Structures are given as C-alpha cells and as structure tokens.
Amino acid sequence: MRNQQNKVPFRLKVLPTQKFKTTTITLKFMAPLDSQTITSRTLLSKMLVRATKRWPTDKDFNRHLSQLYGAHIHSFVSKFKDQHVITLSLEIVNERYLKDDTPLIEKGFQLLKEMIWNPLVSSEQFDAQFLTQEKSLLKKKLESVVDNKSQYAFLQLLKNMFGEQAYSEFASGRLADVDQVTPASLYETYQSMLHNDFSAVYVVGNVDEADIEKQVTEYFDLSKHTLDTTTIESRVETADKLPKEIVETDEVDQAKLNLGFKLPTRFGEPDYFALIVFNMMFGGDPSSVLFNEVREKQSLAYSIHSQVDAKNGYMFVLSGVTAAKYQQAKDTILHEFARFQQGEFSDAQLALAKKVLISQRLEAQDRPKSIIEILNNNVLLDEDLTHEIFAQHVQAVTREDVIQLAQNTYVETIYTLTKREEDDA
C-alpha cells in the first residue's frame, strides 16, 4: 500500500450493494487549500443546493424533491490532506423498491446535473438574495466557533502549529472574509470549481455498475484534472525547541488543554496501522489510557480524547480540564505518552484496540456516507484498502511496531486556554 501522488484523473467508483433501500450519489470537487478561497467555496456549496434556473425558489426546489419520493440533498465542505473539498450528496429511494416504473436514479442524475451546471445565475452573478441569506447563516456558524471554547482552543492550537497555512483554518472559512464574497466573485469561484477542481463521483446502492457508468458519462461533464497531493507541514523549525507551549486566558469555566503531536508516518505507508492502533490505545476510545487515567482515576479532565489526521501525519489530544489542575493534567498526559514509548502497555490493551478498530471499520459498512468516505480515501492509494485487507494489517501490528511508532512521535505544541487569575478572585 503506497501513496499515489500525481496520477489520479477524474474518479468514478460504484459500489453495488443490497444493504440499502436508497441509492446515494455523491460528487466531490477538490481544490488546493487556500485561505483566500475556502470561505467562498463554502458559500458556493450551499448555493448549489439552494436553487437552480429550473427550480428558482425554495418552494419549487423542495416540491421537486418531494416528487422524487422525498429525495434528500445536502452539501458540506471538508479538508482532505492539502485539499479543500466540496461534497454534494443525493440520497434517493431505489427505484427497484417502487410499485411503478419511475426511473428514479436517472431523475437523480438529472437533478444533480441541473444543480451543478445550471444554478440560479444571471449575467454571471449568483442570486443576491439567496447569497445574503447564506452569508448570514455562515456568519452565525463561524461566530459560534469563537463562543464555543473547545472549538476555539482547537483552532488556536492549529494556528500556533501551522501559522498562516490554510490548514490552520476551519474548512468552513474565515468570518472576516464572508462580507467580501459578492454574487459576481462567487460566480468566479464556481467557474474555477468546474474547470480546475479534481472531480469524483461515488454511487452506493442496489444498482447496475455498467448502467451507472453510462449515466455518469451522459450527464456529467467533469474535468479531467489530476489530484496532486502534498503534505501539510507545521512551521516548527528545530526539534530542540519542542514542545512549544502557549497559555492564553479567557472567561472559561474549565481550561482547554490541547496537544499537537507529529507522527512519523501517514495514511498509505506501511506503519499507518501501528499509528491507528497506538491512537486507539492512547486516547481514541473510552477504553483508552487517557480516558481512564486522566479522567476516571485522577479526575483531572471533564473530557479527553486523541484524534489523528493520518493523511498529514498529526495527532491531537483535546481535553477540558479543571483550571486549577491543568499543569497536573498536562504532566499526566505526557507521562502516559512516555510510558507508551517505553512499552508500558499490556497485551490485553493491544488486543482490545485492534478489536475496536476492526469493529468500527465493519460498522462503517452499514452507512452509505461512511462507505463513500472510505472509497474517497482510496484515492491516495495504488490499491483500494478493503475491509479484509484493513483487518489483516491491523491484526498484524505488534508491540514492537507500536513502541517504535511512539518513540518516533513527538509533541510539537501544547496550547492551554484557562481562566484569568482575577476570575478566581
């Protein structure tokens, strides 16, 4: 399993399955992460599912969805390695389960074609009224990030680790940029998406693969741009200055203690599986060491977990801790990490982590959205990572693999948001 860096053209993956009575059709548009475009792309993702020239009002659009037996359309944005992704997804009842002969899948493709290639645009400008509404909604969402101290603290950790790189921003964009988006500038963003983005289509349901491929070719004129992914790098210059520690104060009920770790491997590399086993044991599950030691035994944290961005090679420990004891909590987290580096974990912990990982991967097969994300991750690989291959590699991880992984992992940044001293007075 190796990373495929430069040779991925327009992508189509169809997964025929009888598990679901619906068919899910998902389109993804990927462009390099850029702080100047992510806000506009987020607004574009909402405008495309809002109205089209054929269905120019909310009422028209919703009526058409109801005529398609309650079809559901939604969009979201995300980060994928060094790419910004617009995802448009349609879930529609599978026509095999209808009593009539309505060609629902074909009508679904027609709907998506209308949304993407015939949006509500006039004189190369998006509808101003709808854009004003979507800008207001996005502002509220981004403002809520500042009010949510856990999200704010994570954002600050990213900013301190990655500086001005777009990776340090949330995928939804920046509050300061919302007002800069106009109906005309949004049209430019839209044209760039159509002509410059890497495109992918995923279809999951009880479908005929050859028929789906024919319809995708017929309805979608997607660009053939290749996906050229690099790796996000933090701005830390020399390891002898690590970890970098930042403490900020605010009006908070509990301290937010976040740690950023640099991993020695990434998704697609052989020791990726040691990475996810280590993360699961360390803080990725309620059975993990951090949850049990920091939260349950020592009562230092209200919440604590670790999560990985395996595509870029980073792990983050995010916690809400007692303000007066954040130093003790930090020392405990670092101590438990050092114990892993020394091999101080049991075979039972190792076996449980593997069991949980394989179980979670299996459960993902029961959700079309999760299946599609797994299929999309495979764009970075030479060969698809099936559940069977995944399980085999996870089971093959040894104690020595985990120890070596931990020993080559280091803490880059520790960020704490805690109470002001006068708040305790």
Side-chain angles (χ1 to χ4, degrees):
M1 187 176 67
R2 294 179 292 116
N3 279 25
Q4 183 167 308
Q5 293 294 332
N6 300 304
K7 300 292 186 180
V8 187
F10 157 66
R11 180 177 177 83
L12 170 62
K13 285 288 183 178
V14 182
L15 182 65
T17 175
Q18 297 183 20
K19 281 187 176 183
F20 315 112
K21 291 188 176 181
T22 58
T23 301
T24 301
I25 306 169
T26 296
L27 286 89
K28 289 183 178 287
F29 296 89
M30 299 190 191
L33 269 173
D34 184 342
S35 299
Q36 303 303 314
T37 62
I38 55 177
T39 308
S40 184
R41 286 173 60 86
T42 298
L43 288 165
L44 176 61
S45 75
K46 299 306 177 185
M47 293 291 285
L48 291 176
V49 300
R50 186 72 189 266
T52 73
K53 288 181 179 177
R54 186 173 175 183
W55 304 294
T57 68
D58 290 332
K59 185 177 181 180
D60 292 334
F61 196 79
N62 290 328
R63 183 189 296 118
H64 182 68
L65 290 176
S66 67
Q67 290 171 350
L68 298 180
Y69 294 85
H72 177 66
I73 191 85
H74 73 282
S75 66
F76 63 91
V77 294
S78 57
K79 293 186 289 188
F80 182 88
K81 207 163 187 180
D82 68 336
Q83 303 287 302
H84 188 261
V85 188
I86 293 176
T87 299
L88 307 174
S89 191
L90 170 68
E91 185 176 357
I92 195 165
V93 173
N94 192 294
E95 59 194 46
R96 297 175 189 264
Y97 302 102
L98 299 179
K99 293 182 179 180
D100 58 39
D101 57 357
T102 304
L104 265 188
I105 293 177
E106 184 172 4
K107 286 184 175 293
F109 279 118
Q110 291 171 352
L111 168 61
L112 287 165
K113 178 181 180 180
E114 174 75 9
M115 288 166 45
I116 297 168
W117 283 277
N118 200 23
L120 191 56
V121 168
S122 177
S123 301
E124 300 187 348
Q125 295 190 44
F126 274 86
D127 184 84
Q129 182 179 353
F130 281 157
L131 179 56
T132 297
Q133 293 171 1
E134 292 301 331
K135 287 167 70 172
S136 177
L137 291 171
L138 181 57
K139 278 184 178 181
K140 290 177 181 177
K141 178 179 179 179
L142 295 174
E143 286 168 351
S144 71
V145 170
V146 178
D147 296 332
N148 184 318
K149 299 306 179 184
S150 294
Q151 288 186 314
Y152 173 77
F154 182 48
L155 183 62
Q156 290 301 103
L157 173 68
L158 295 180
K159 287 187 178 300
N160 280 283
M161 283 185 71
F162 301 99
E164 298 303 315
Q165 291 186 60
Y167 184 82
S168 68
E169 307 288 349
F170 283 131
S172 297
R174 304 187 294 192
L175 182 61
D177 292 345
V178 175
D179 285 335
Q180 308 303 316
V181 180
T182 67
S185 72
L186 190 64
Y187 182 78
E188 294 177 2
T189 301
Y190 164 67
Q191 288 296 313
S192 178
M193 183 196 82
L194 287 185
H195 299 298
N196 300 320
D197 280 21
F198 167 77
S199 308
V201 181
Y202 301 99
V203 182
V204 174
N206 189 2
V207 296
D208 178 83
E209 188 169 356
D211 180 58
I212 294 297
E213 291 176 355
K214 179 182 177 182
Q215 293 196 59
V216 169
T217 303
E218 177 182 353
Y219 286 106
F220 296 161
D221 180 21
L222 292 166
S223 66
K224 303 298 190 292
H225 290 279
T226 57
L227 179 63
D228 186 359
T229 58
T230 56
T231 300
I232 302 295
E233 296 292 350
S234 68
R235 61 177 181 174
V236 175
E237 296 179 359
T238 55
D240 58 353
K241 298 178 181 178
L242 301 180
K244 177 173 57 177
E245 294 196 45
I246 302 97
V247 178
E248 295 182 347
T249 59
D250 201 347
E251 295 179 6
V252 293
D253 294 327
Q254 57 182 250
K256 309 300 177 184
L257 172 61
N258 296 339
L259 294 83
F261 294 73
K262 182 72 176 72
L263 300 164
T265 189
R266 303 180 181 94
F267 177 72
E269 297 177 0
D271 44 356
Y272 160 74
F273 298 96
L275 180 166
I276 57 175
V277 170
F278 163 64
N279 175 66
M280 186 60 65
M281 284 195 291
F282 187 50
D285 184 72
S287 64
S288 67
V289 167
L290 290 185
F291 187 90
N292 284 283
E293 188 66 32
V294 181
R295 185 181 185 275
E296 297 297 297
K297 290 183 181 179
Q298 298 193 37
S299 300
L300 297 173
Y302 301 96
S303 62
I304 187 167
H305 75 279
S306 64
Q307 63 190 47
V308 291
D309 174 2
K311 297 178 188 67
N312 287 304
Y314 292 95
M315 180 176 71
F316 307 104
V317 172
L318 310 177
S319 66
V321 304
T322 305
K325 298 181 179 179
Y326 82 81
Q327 187 69 41
Q328 183 182 347
K330 181 191 75 173
D331 292 343
T332 303
I333 293 169
L334 295 175
H335 174 70
E336 294 304 324
F337 173 60
R339 290 188 65 200
F340 271 94
Q341 293 179 314
Q342 296 158 14
E344 295 179 19
F345 56 90
S346 68
D347 290 340
Q349 288 173 305
L350 181 64
L352 179 58
K354 294 179 180 181
K355 182 178 179 180
V356 172
L357 281 167
I358 294 171
S359 176
Q360 287 180 349
R361 174 83 176 205
L362 192 60
E363 289 175 5
Q365 307 298 317
D366 294 329
R367 299 184 298 273
K369 179 181 177 181
S370 299
I371 292 172
I372 288 168
E373 293 308 311
I374 290 172
L375 292 174
N376 192 56
N377 286 341
N378 289 335
V379 75
L380 298 173
L381 309 176
D382 287 337
E383 297 179 2
D384 287 354
L385 180 59
T386 65
H387 174 72
E388 291 72 21
I389 295 174
F390 176 88
Q392 290 171 7
H393 280 289
V394 168
Q395 291 288 17
V397 172
T398 66
R399 289 181 57 85
E400 290 69 27
D401 293 334
V402 174
I403 294 169
Q404 183 176 10
L405 185 285
Q407 288 177 345
N408 289 313
T409 298
Y410 58 88
V411 188
E412 274 201 352
T413 305
I414 302 174
Y415 174 84
T416 306
L417 181 69
T418 190
K419 286 184 178 182
R420 300 186 184 97
E421 290 184 8
E422 57 265 29
D423 293 338
D424 293 323

